[in-house]
Amino acid sequence: MSRYYMAENLKRLRTFYGYQQKEIADQLHISRQAYSNYERGTRMPDLRTCIQLAEFYQVTLDALLLAKDPARRISEQAKKENKAL
């Protein structure tokens, strides 16, 4: 059975990008409380919202759900791209 890391990943990605919960909720047209529930793991978003979250954070849906730390991978990728410049 797979372990889902969505709650942890949502919080990591939000803090990585420096967003407030309200900002993301407004972009997705959901309440801040709903987004907070997703981050705390007390509720799971529906598939449409999962897709919107993945698009918002520019990660794949499977990375959002299953990766242990997509924010670290994004950070590492950004460092590589900066070094290439």
Side-chain angles (χ1 to χ4, degrees):
M1 186 160 127
S2 295
R3 165 126 163 83
Y4 297 105
Y5 295 95
M6 179 174 243
E8 297 96 334
N9 289 340
L10 288 174
K11 185 166 185 175
R12 284 185 184 123
L13 287 165
R14 180 177 59 79
T15 56
F16 175 79
Y17 285 114
Y19 291 115
Q20 298 293 316
Q21 288 180 343
K22 176 98 172 89
E23 293 174 293
I24 298 164
D26 288 347
Q27 287 290 315
L28 300 179
H29 307 290
I30 60 174
S31 69
R32 189 208 53 82
Q33 292 83 0
Y35 186 82
S36 176
N37 285 333
Y38 302 155
E39 272 193 11
R40 289 184 289 128
T42 57
R43 296 199 63 189
M44 186 76 161
D46 61 19
L47 181 58
R48 183 175 148 255
T49 304
C50 287
I51 292 168
Q52 289 177 318
L53 285 163
E55 289 174 348
F56 180 84
Y57 286 121
Q58 300 176 350
V59 297
T60 62
L61 189 55
D62 63 327
L64 184 64
L65 291 169
L66 301 172
K68 289 189 178 178
D69 191 353
R72 186 183 77 218
R73 292 193 306 180
I74 292 167
S75 170
E76 289 170 357
Q77 183 64 32
K79 287 177 187 175
K80 287 178 187 176
E81 289 173 6
N82 272 342
K83 287 181 184 176
L85 298 175

